[in-house]
Amino acid sequence: MLSWLGIMINNIKVAFIFFVSGIFCGIPTMYKLAETGAMVGIFDELFASHGYGLQFWLVVFVHGTLEITAIIIAGAAGFILGKSFLFPGTKNRIEAFREGAKDGVKIMIGIVPVFIVAAFLKD
């Protein structure tokens, strides 16, 4: 139970870091998404080079499909936050930022159950 809770909390924390990083024009969010993608690719190549490529995909993506998709969606929420500040449109910047933050928080609340299920499958 504690392992599941720890995995779940860590994943939610990472997702909120991706989201909040959007405040800085989305640049840290973009970097973190690229870093995460590279990390998954490097692990895949490491396992494949030792003859465990298929096992990697079968084991990791039981939970990874949900987890990585949710991380990408959290990055999108971060981009929404950054876009709302950079490109306010016809609204003033603060009002556009508030609306972007509200939309991003709705997305983040929506992906929390995905992390709960992914942590359960991982544990």
Side-chain angles (χ1 to χ4, degrees), residues 81-100:
L81 188 63
K83 180 218 155 270
S84 67
F85 184 74
L86 284 176
F87 307 109
T90 58
K91 302 173 185 163
N92 67 26
R93 200 169 297 277
I94 297 299
E95 183 61 32
F97 182 72
R98 259 191 225 128
E99 286 184 19

Side-chain angles (χ1 to χ4, degrees), residues 3-106:
S3 175
W4 168 75
L5 192 61
I7 291 168
M8 181 188 65
I9 289 170
N10 181 62
N11 289 341
I12 292 170
K13 182 180 78 169
V14 167
F16 271 94
I17 289 171
F18 277 49
F19 170 59
V20 172
S21 296
I23 290 173
F24 302 106
C25 305
I27 293 169
T29 301
M30 191 178 344
Y31 176 79
K32 294 192 106 9
L33 283 171
E35 183 181 54
T36 302
M39 184 174 53
V40 171
I42 289 168
F43 278 126
D44 174 37
E45 184 55 34
L46 175 72
F47 280 86
S49 69
H50 288 87
Y52 296 111
L54 181 61
Q55 287 86 352
F56 170 80
W57 288 103
L58 292 175
V59 170
V60 169
F61 276 87
V62 167
H63 74 281
T65 302
L66 294 171
E67 193 174 298
I68 293 173
T69 302
I71 289 290
I72 292 168
I73 293 170
F79 289 140
I80 289 170
L81 188 63
K83 180 218 155 270
S84 67
F85 184 74
L86 284 176
F87 307 109
T90 58
K91 302 173 185 163
N92 67 26
R93 200 169 297 277
I94 297 299
E95 183 61 32
F97 182 72
R98 259 191 225 128
E99 286 184 19
K102 189 174 8 171
D103 292 341
V105 167
K106 287 177 191 175

